[in-house]
Amino acid sequence: MPAPTMDEVVALCKRRGLIFPASEIYGGIANTYDYGHYGVLLKKNVIDAWWRAMIQERDDVVALDSAIIQHPRTWEASGHLSGFTDPLVDCRTCKKRFRADHLAELSCGLKPSKHPGETPECDLTEARDFNLMFQTSIGPVQESGNTVYLRPETAQGIFLDFKTTLQYARRKPPFGIAQVGKSFRNEITPGNFIFRTLEFEQMEMEFFVPPAEAGQWYEYWMQARLDWYVALGIDRERLRLRAHDADELSHYSEATSDIEYLYPIGWSELEGIANRGDFDLTQHQQLSGEKLEYFDQPTGERYVPHVIEPAAGVGRTILALLCDAYDEDEIGGEKRTVLRLHPAVAPVKAAVLPLLRKDGHPEKARAIYEELRRHVSAEYDAGGHIGKRYRRQDEIGTPLAITIDHQTLEDDTVTLRERDTLEQDRVPVAELVDRVTKITR
Ligand code: GAP
């Protein structure tokens, strides 16, 4: 089938409780979503896959979980206080606020078929720079001097802990520090589902290298990160690397390339890989007065490491996985919606389904399920017609369905149905755990 529309993906996520608007009983809140049961499992699998690639399968990266609220000088040093802004205009007529640099993609508040500023009634203010960081304050009294910020990227916590990590982790450049956690940005632009949200999880790794090696590590991480998405089952044809033009570069970046995915909204950023040079460590060194350099004893060389940063978004990875996996086909003349997710990220690996709710089927199915769930994420479902139960599992991307029927009670075998091929195989119960774990690894 052709690539799905965003509406189709959004509808499936809502129907199956993967992801849905937050605060819905109050009418929702802009660009904010909640993850339901299957969404949580999918997200956990994505994050686990990232940790596996960054930590378990390497010995040059260590983990970190730094605070969301850091010392406010952090954002002075990083340049976010002065430079992390979007140009915004207000419309005095419809009272809506728009990104000044996105007017051509936005709809007028009065006449949605027009762009802001296009109707005679539109009355736009001059563009003003608007900082994207959320402010709050420490302590019971709101006064100046107490102002702190919710981090707009996880990266800065890594730079603040560079010296501590260097000391305890006994690593030398090239080495990396990886972190997964929430970041917050006061985004005004309409979000396109979970593509752009106010709070979002980032998977970021700062790789500290000798300055002369920055170029080669930049190339290395671009390829490694692209390969990671392909290994998660995303179609290589719908992924591309795009180097930023000089006028697009962030204030800290010497070079950046985005891994883009062909979302229903067009090619858009999934992950950014940046060569941040020594910008961040040098800035923090200057403002904190702490030396943030590496001393290489054998050579007697002292330097501020350069940083290569692969920075991925959990939400955008999930959106790419969902768009890529979404498919529709026909079984026996009936339309089927199916998520052809890679088994490694599928929320549930196998569903155990008793054919009947009598004749000993539920008891046998329950025993099989309880053994299976010790090894993989499994689900027991006895409710409704068997066809409907298959459809439900297809829609959440469960790769395998195990059906318990009359024959199971006679010869201790079950049918193993494969989500994509729909092939059904008769498998001895004794071999089930082995088969399921091998297929869904
Ligand atoms: N530390 C570098 C940094 O934060 P970025 O390109 O601004 O770079 C990295 O963000 C990734 O975080 C993006 O590629 C995207 O996947 C995700 N991201 C950024 N802003 C987001 C938002 N408002 N909503 C969802 N994901 C976002």
Side-chain angles (χ1 to χ4, degrees):
M1 85 168 251
T5 63
M6 193 68 100
D7 285 348
E8 285 170 328
V9 175
V10 171
L12 173 64
C13 286
K14 178 91 201 280
R15 190 162 71 240
R16 291 298 170 204
L18 283 120
I19 305 164
F20 35 84
S23 305
E24 240 190 333
I25 60 166
Y26 290 108
I29 175 163
N31 300 342
T32 309
Y33 290 86
D34 291 342
Y35 285 69
H37 180 72
Y38 299 118
V40 171
L41 296 181
L42 172 59
K43 178 150 74 158
K44 182 182 172 303
N45 292 340
V46 167
I47 294 173
D48 284 352
W50 189 84
W51 278 123
R52 195 161 51 246
M54 283 296 167
I55 304 282
Q56 191 178 323
E57 293 171 1
R58 319 181 55 96
D59 45 26
D60 56 359
V61 180
V62 297
L64 177 73
D65 188 3
S66 71
I68 286 174
I69 296 174
Q70 299 283 1
H71 193 287
R73 295 207 78 191
T74 305
W75 311 111
E76 213 177 302
S78 69
H80 283 86
L81 257 184
S82 56
F84 196 51
T85 54
D86 277 344
L88 296 184
V89 295
D90 291 303
C91 177
R92 296 187 189 92
T93 312
C94 71
K95 311 289 180 219
K96 283 204 158 182
R97 186 167 270 184
F98 306 100
R99 277 267 300 262
D101 51 343
H102 285 197
L103 291 181
E105 302 145 36
L106 300 172
S107 297
C108 161
L110 293 180
K111 293 202 179 125
S113 60
K114 301 270 183 198
H115 302 303
E118 278 188 355
T119 78
E121 292 83 19
C122 294
D123 184 8
L124 302 185
T125 61
E126 288 292 306
R128 282 178 302 133
D129 279 340
F130 174 82
N131 198 294
L132 274 85
M133 283 197 294
F134 281 104
Q135 276 186 31
T136 184
S137 52
I138 295 181
V141 188
Q142 220 175 349
E143 24 178 82
S144 65
N146 294 353
T147 304
V148 288
Y149 303 90
L150 302 188
R151 66 181 176 199
E153 61 172 12
T154 61
Q156 294 304 321
I158 297 178
F159 298 127
L160 302 192
D161 288 338
F162 167 73
K163 193 173 169 185
T164 307
T165 308
L166 196 59
Q167 281 159 358
Y168 83 79
R170 295 181 298 121
R171 295 290 201 285
K172 57 178 283 194
F175 85 101
I177 304 177
Q179 145 150 267
V180 176
K182 277 219 168 161
S183 292
F184 304 82
R185 296 183 191 177
N186 199 352
E187 303 273 8
I188 300 298
T189 313
N192 284 313
F193 192 34
I194 54 169
F195 181 81
R196 193 181 303 282
T197 48
L198 300 185
E199 52 183 276
F200 52 96
E201 267 160 290
Q202 290 188 306
M203 306 181 285
E204 296 200 289
M205 198 274 291
E206 309 303 315
F207 202 67
F208 301 92
V209 302
E213 294 178 22
Q216 85 200 47
W217 282 109
Y218 177 58
E219 297 293 327
Y220 168 88
W221 280 110
M222 277 195 284
Q223 192 56 49
R225 295 302 304 147
L226 192 60
D227 292 347
W228 185 77
Y229 291 104
V230 175
L232 280 194
I234 296 184
D235 182 357
R236 178 64 185 84
E237 298 292 307
R238 303 179 71 80
L239 289 166
R240 73 176 186 195
L241 268 166
R242 189 185 65 81
H244 281 206
D245 292 333
D247 60 353
E248 264 183 280
L249 290 177
S250 305
H251 58 278
Y252 52 74
S253 173
E254 291 190 5
T256 296
S257 287
D258 287 342
I259 296 177
E260 294 187 332
Y261 177 75
L262 188 52
Y263 293 100
I265 51 173
W267 287 104
S268 309
E269 177 184 347
L270 168 58
E271 165 162 354
I273 295 105
N275 177 352
R276 295 181 78 125
D278 61 0
F279 177 84
D280 302 274
L281 289 181
T282 305
Q283 285 290 106
H284 288 302
Q285 190 165 258
Q286 270 166 15
L287 262 83
S288 68
E290 286 280 343
K291 282 246 169 297
L292 299 177
E293 38 180 46
Y294 177 72
F295 176 62
D296 191 30
Q297 239 152 4
T299 63
E301 202 190 346
R302 189 180 288 281
Y303 61 86
V304 176
H306 283 212
V307 171
I308 307 304
E309 173 196 71
V314 176
R316 288 196 195 173
T317 305
I318 288 175
L319 187 57
L321 286 167
L322 290 172
C323 294
D324 219 67
Y326 187 103
D327 198 9
E328 286 172 5
D329 58 9
E330 248 189 48
I331 305 178
E334 254 187 63
K335 190 183 108 174
R336 168 177 86 139
T337 303
V338 52
L339 275 186
R340 301 191 193 280
L341 288 170
H342 189 291
V345 291
V348 177
K349 312 299 178 200
V352 182
L353 316 172
L355 186 63
L356 303 176
R357 272 202 269 182
K358 55 179 188 175
D359 297 346
H361 294 192
E363 293 77 9
K364 182 68 182 171
R366 188 100 215 154
I368 290 173
Y369 161 66
E370 278 168 19
E371 173 57 17
L372 199 59
R373 74 176 179 189
R374 295 174 53 226
H375 305 271
V376 295
S377 157
E379 190 166 276
Y380 175 81
D381 185 1
H385 184 267
I386 189 74
K388 276 217 165 112
R389 282 182 275 161
Y390 283 145
R391 279 318 91 74
R392 199 181 301 150
Q393 295 299 331
D394 289 339
E395 289 207 346
I396 60 165
T398 306
L400 296 170
I402 296 155
T403 310
I404 284 76
D405 54 18
H406 291 299
Q407 197 182 327
T408 312
L409 304 178
E410 283 161 19
D411 64 4
D412 217 29
T413 62
V414 292
T415 56
L416 191 63
R417 170 191 181 266
E418 213 272 327
R419 176 197 68 201
D420 294 339
T421 59
L422 296 173
E423 269 168 24
Q424 301 213 12
D425 203 5
R426 203 81 210 171
V427 177
V429 171
E431 292 172 19
L432 206 50
V433 167
D434 202 39
R435 282 282 286 272
V436 172
T437 46
K438 264 197 197 119
I439 298 173
T440 60
R441 191 171 290 153

